[in-house]
Amino acid sequence: ILISKMIFEQIRTSKIASTPNGASAVLIRTSNKNKLKYRVRANAPAVSEKRLEPLVKSELVNYLKVGCKPRSSWRIGTEHEKFGYNFKTNERMTYDEIAHILSTLRDTHGWEPINENDKIIGVQLNNQSVTLEPGGQFELSGAPVTNIHQTYKEAEAHLQLVKSISAKLGCGFIGLGFDPKWKLSDVPTMPKGRYHLMKQYMPTVGTKGLDMMFRTCTVQVNLDFESEKDMVEKFRIGLALQPIANALFANSPFKEGQLSGYLSARGNVWTDVDKSRTGNLPFVFSPDMSFESYVDYAMDVPMYFVYRNGTYINALGQSWRDFMQGKLPALPGEFPSIADWANHLTTIFPEVRLKRFLEMRGADSGSLDKICALSAFWVGLLYDPTAQQESLQLIKDWSAAERETLFQTVPIKSLATPFRNDKVAAVAKTAVQISKDGLKRRGLGEEKYLEPLEEILSSGKTQAEVLREKFLGEWNGRVEPVYDFAKY
């Protein structure tokens, strides 16, 4: 890809496929019998030439509107992150170890590489991608699938594959929401330009941004919508119930070898990362919420960078609105492209994020059955019309203050968090039942994937509380046994 005109046309005709965390794969034709394949050069939409004409706001709105699709075209995307570690020392995997795994996926299993400055930082195959978070957290962004059975098969196959490759290095993976042992200074930084910029910026806007980057792992579910009205309803349900998901999936009680005081240390981290780009987005509950409302919000989020010719140009704290006017200090006289807009949207981290689909972002990473349970939970709530309306009724009179209180306090006590005249567990029980009924109406047998949540509600113990009990009991105050307990 040499000129921006080609890139613009590919974006317009949906021939650039962006992974949920920003990687771009450009379909090209090769000389090998005209075979289509991916050549991936960087983890951001590529822009090669200056755009000298203004990009108007309606184009930004339309970029999101294109996501509307009929129910028959709805899909489910599941992403999960995990910590790689060394079997002997429990230290986090180095970049060289991770690069070996990625290279094996490329050379032995046919995955296409994602490179940056000649370093492999991910791979992609059949609409799946494996990419790296700042501290080497290993993320599978799954392909869009039609049901949770496919989600399970995909995640299971991935975990088995990377487990077999990493074991030859004396390494493995664990599913937890927060690094149980290591300090920030112990964690390697991956060779991705955007992460070096974010690492500089995070301490200037919050106290826990670096923890988010280097010491957390999450599971995320991506879902479609059919209209603006449907998007708004799903967005509101997702934001209101995200703390409920955090409570159900709490799985990060440790920090630096000790109990952290939180059942979801990951959830607590997100309470002070960068308030300009995280949190509950109260405006989503305004009567006039629309695609344009989200565009207005996103344009006010300070920028991180602009990506040009394989380089991340520092635009930390600069204004997208200035960029729209050709007045960005980092690129004076230049206007943004749609690719720049798509990239900017990936630097916004609310509890539910809008792209051309909705991302549910509020759960700790965990075991395979928990990964699939999260997808089942949200599909049951949001892909059945009756369940969606019941979910709206459940949260319709929750105030902005109540939603914010849940966001702030659920990481501490999880299901035992007080809410109105009861506890969060009561809301979680109702939500899980609504989801289960919704899945049953889908008629695909997906409700079985909610069994881990039903067991948690029946016992009253989250996975974090199980870990805490073991730490205080049979593990004798040692965190090291969690590596064997939580490994894939």
Side-chain angles (χ1 to χ4, degrees), residues 217-243:
C217 281
T218 190
V219 182
Q220 174 178 304
V221 182
N222 305 326
L223 300 173
D224 290 314
F225 43 80
E226 64 180 345
S227 65
E228 186 169 73
K229 178 177 181 294
D230 187 46
M231 177 275 294
V232 172
E233 289 184 356
K234 286 181 166 67
F235 211 151
R236 290 172 177 169
I237 293 166
L239 284 172
L241 294 184
Q242 217 61 226

Side-chain angles (χ1 to χ4, degrees), residues 129-360:
S129 67
V130 175
T131 52
L132 306 180
E133 293 300 302
Q137 302 97 311
F138 208 77
E139 178 178 6
L140 172 68
S141 297
V145 300
T146 59
N147 60 66
I148 310 300
H149 305 302
Q150 295 169 323
T151 300
Y152 183 90
K153 290 179 181 178
E154 175 187 68
E156 181 184 43
H158 166 79
L159 290 170
Q160 289 177 349
L161 179 58
V162 298
K163 179 180 177 180
S164 67
I165 297 171
S166 63
K168 296 176 183 178
L169 301 174
C171 296
F173 293 95
I174 54 171
L176 294 169
F178 194 91
D179 187 307
K181 183 173 181 177
W182 302 107
K183 298 178 180 179
L184 279 168
S185 58
D186 298 317
V187 180
T189 300
M190 296 300 104
K192 297 175 70 170
R194 65 183 283 164
Y195 294 159
H196 289 283
L197 290 174
M198 291 170 65
K199 188 176 181 180
Q200 297 174 39
Y201 187 67
M202 284 296 181
T204 70
V205 291
T207 63
K208 299 172 182 175
L210 295 181
D211 279 333
M212 179 275 290
M213 291 179 64
F214 293 96
R215 297 202 286 182
T216 63
C217 281
T218 190
V219 182
Q220 174 178 304
V221 182
N222 305 326
L223 300 173
D224 290 314
F225 43 80
E226 64 180 345
S227 65
E228 186 169 73
K229 178 177 181 294
D230 187 46
M231 177 275 294
V232 172
E233 289 184 356
K234 286 181 166 67
F235 211 151
R236 290 172 177 169
I237 293 166
L239 284 172
L241 294 184
Q242 217 61 226
I244 309 307
N246 191 2
L248 284 164
F249 291 88
N251 189 32
S252 51
F254 305 123
K255 181 178 181 180
E256 297 178 8
Q258 300 296 323
L259 292 173
S260 66
Y262 298 91
L263 295 179
S264 176
R266 181 208 60 83
N268 174 63
V269 160
W270 279 104
T271 63
D272 192 18
V273 169
D274 178 351
K275 288 182 169 44
S276 69
R277 71 185 74 238
T278 65
N280 271 320
L281 308 188
F283 71 88
V284 173
F285 295 85
S286 299
D288 58 352
M289 169 60 187
S290 63
F291 286 116
E292 186 174 0
S293 302
Y294 193 83
V295 168
D296 287 335
Y297 157 73
M299 288 197 298
D300 286 333
V301 174
M303 295 177 64
Y304 280 162
F305 54 80
V306 181
Y307 188 79
R308 291 290 184 274
N309 301 317
T311 301
Y312 288 89
I313 297 171
N314 186 338
L316 292 171
Q318 295 179 25
S319 167
W320 176 269
R321 292 183 186 273
D322 287 347
F323 199 8
M324 293 276 285
Q325 297 175 21
K327 299 178 181 179
L328 191 72
L331 286 174
E334 187 171 338
F335 298 97
S337 69
I338 284 292
D340 290 319
W341 176 240
N343 216 8
H344 181 60
L345 292 176
T346 71
T347 69
I348 302 171
F349 313 121
E351 291 296 283
V352 177
R353 180 163 63 184
L354 176 62
K355 293 180 181 174
R356 287 175 168 174
F357 47 86
L358 285 167
E359 300 175 344
M360 306 294 154

